[in-house]
Amino acid sequence: MALRMAITAEPIPSHVSALDHVIRPAREQGHHVALHASGMFRRDARRRGVEFHGAGTNWTCDPTVQRTVSAIWSGSGNAVFNRYVFGHLWPEQAEAKARDLLTAWTRERPDLVVAECGDHGAHLAARILGLPLLAADNGLGPLLLDLWETDIAPALSPLCERYELDAPTLPAMLTPAPVEWFYRTPPPSARAVRRTVAEYRTVLPEWLDRSPSSRPLVYVSLGTLTTAMSGLRTVVESAYREIMAALSGIGCDVIVSAGDLAERLRGADPRVTVVEHVPQPALLRRADLFVTHGGRASLLDAVQGATPVLGMGVLADQPDNTASFARRGLGRALDIGAARDQIADAVTDLLGTARYGAAMSAADAALSQLPPLDFAELRESVRPGAVGASPSYGI
């Protein structure tokens, strides 16, 4: 049976890509898929062949928001940043997003809602309308669980009371990796499912689809969010320069994907190519090493390319992610402020030690063995929530 599926995302540049493990199989199974998100994702929906409906605002692009959170990260560290951003700012946006979704879903009621795990407005709207609801873990699941009782639930409680709902709850999650890879204490409500990426991201552009040289290929990307935040650009640009300086003394070819910083980083070294964007999953099947900020999607792209990583986590879940991968032997982790000699030593070790590649190949095999999503089965296993009643999830 074909379902009308509503998928939601919050306005972070990479977050629709992080939902491809839901979007692609839903389309392949013949379901009607609509993405409900802010206007910044209209093009992403078109590329994936799904319907688009505007919901919420591009609030993360507000210069005041960016300056504030950058100052908190720079002055007080990542833990305080996480508490402010995910425990305060994200719940604060929930009501506006919920209003847009209530209008859309009252007009055309979906059979199943799969909302980004941090999209509290979508969770609220689904509960008010009694819609079957699942959360798609985009990497923030562990942070949300850590902050739930102390920060997020108290922030959402007044909204739930206003709509005569019971206490806020985090929906059961679909996570596209073995749960123990990223969760210190695996939550019973998380189901590990097979990971897929958008088809267009699996094809190399013509300039990259060429015979490889005899030198190893190192791919460098520190993500999209940090380069878009004015207060973090200086830190990230400095990190890129240290990485590029370290790699210039090693016999390798380098591709750097640096978003808005690309023009500032281009230089004369013919072995270093600096671009704004590349189809990362496709490139990582060619690369020998990935220097990354450690976002969840980027690390899983590396696993599926069997490419060891040098993780340099910046903010949010990234430092914990890179530390987890290092513990599992899938690469190494350094601080974002690491000096070029430290980076060069780590890169030399990673390129010269076979066990990292072997560990990544084993991780790729484990990832490929996860069960595929069956949305018709999921729809039957989720009991819709209702106003004034606590939803029960059968996963």
Side-chain angles (χ1 to χ4, degrees):
M1 177 184 72
L3 302 175
R4 294 195 60 84
M5 289 184 53
I7 295 175
T8 79
E10 286 288 78
I12 304 291
S14 61
H15 278 208
V16 169
S17 294
L19 298 175
D20 280 332
H21 69 284
V22 173
I23 295 172
R24 184 169 177 179
R27 291 192 65 242
E28 290 174 347
Q29 291 173 30
H31 303 301
H32 178 87
V33 181
L35 176 65
H36 297 261
S38 70
M40 68 189 297
F41 290 132
R42 188 180 300 274
R43 182 168 178 259
D44 293 80
R46 184 169 64 249
R47 279 179 155 186
R48 289 162 173 80
V50 303
E51 191 176 299
F52 177 80
H53 297 280
T57 66
N58 294 335
W59 62 271
T60 57
C61 301
D62 185 319
T64 301
V65 170
Q66 293 187 355
R67 284 194 299 269
T68 300
V69 299
S70 297
I72 290 172
W73 181 85
S74 301
S76 302
N78 195 46
V80 177
F81 169 91
N82 287 341
R83 187 169 187 179
Y84 178 76
V85 172
F86 303 110
H88 171 67
L89 281 184
W90 282 44
E92 189 178 69
Q93 301 297 319
E95 185 170 20
K97 182 73 170 286
R99 283 198 301 266
D100 289 345
L101 294 175
L102 287 170
T103 299
W105 294 345
T106 300
R107 185 171 56 244
E108 191 163 30
R109 187 179 178 90
D111 299 308
L112 178 64
V113 174
V114 183
E116 184 178 5
C117 61
D119 193 344
H120 307 299
H123 304 168
L124 181 67
R127 289 186 65 194
I128 292 168
L129 295 175
L131 299 172
L133 168 67
L134 291 165
D137 185 2
N138 59 8
L140 295 178
L143 286 180
L144 298 179
L145 287 175
D146 285 347
L147 293 169
W148 191 263
E149 296 296 334
T150 58
D151 295 82
I152 298 173
L156 293 173
S157 289
L159 267 180
C160 290
E161 291 172 6
R162 191 177 311 164
Y163 287 99
E164 299 182 349
L165 294 170
D166 284 351
T169 56
L170 186 62
M173 280 189 287
L174 306 172
T175 186
V179 176
E180 64 275 9
W181 283 10
F182 297 101
Y183 289 86
R184 294 187 195 94
T185 303
S189 62
R191 172 185 282 192
V193 297
R194 189 170 301 170
R195 183 176 192 258
T196 56
V197 299
E199 196 167 357
Y200 78 91
R201 300 182 69 229
T202 65
V203 180
L204 281 174
E206 188 175 344
W207 68 271
L208 271 173
D209 192 12
R210 60 192 181 197
S211 299
S213 74
S214 59
R215 295 183 295 271
L217 174 61
V218 178
Y219 169 53
V220 182
S221 175
L222 299 179
T224 53
L225 177 60
T226 51
T227 59
M229 295 174 64
S230 57
L232 285 172
R233 284 170 66 91
T234 302
V235 174
V236 174
E237 182 176 348
S238 176
Y240 271 121
R241 293 192 184 280
E242 288 295 295
I243 293 165
M244 293 167 68
L247 294 175
S248 69
I250 297 172
C252 60
D253 293 326
V254 183
I255 295 174
V256 179
S257 174
D260 294 342
L261 287 173
E263 191 60 39
R264 295 174 58 87
L265 294 173
R266 291 191 177 106
D269 190 337
R271 294 178 306 156
V272 179
T273 303
V274 182
V275 297
E276 291 186 12
H277 302 288
V278 293
Q280 183 168 284
L283 180 56
L284 283 170
R285 296 186 181 279
R286 175 75 60 86
D288 299 286
L289 176 65
F290 183 21
V291 183
T292 172
H293 64 304
R296 172 82 66 90
S298 289
L299 290 175
L300 295 180
D301 284 344
V303 171
Q304 291 183 306
T307 307
V309 299
L310 173 55
M312 301 179 68
V314 183
L315 45 70
D317 58 317
Q318 298 161 13
D320 284 347
N321 292 344
T322 57
S324 175
F325 262 43
R327 285 194 302 272
R328 294 178 180 280
L330 304 174
R332 291 183 56 174
L334 291 175
D335 185 81
I336 189 61
R340 64 190 64 179
D341 58 341
Q342 294 175 285
I343 298 169
D345 287 346
V347 168
T348 301
D349 175 47
L350 287 161
L351 289 175
T353 307
R355 64 183 170 86
Y356 295 112
M360 268 295 190
S361 294
D364 182 31
L367 201 63
S368 67
Q369 290 169 9
L370 293 176
L373 281 165
D374 182 337
F375 292 100
E377 180 268 327
L378 284 173
R379 168 65 179 79
E380 294 303 314
S381 70
V382 182
R383 185 189 305 170
V387 174
S390 295
S392 173
Y393 302 99
I395 292 181

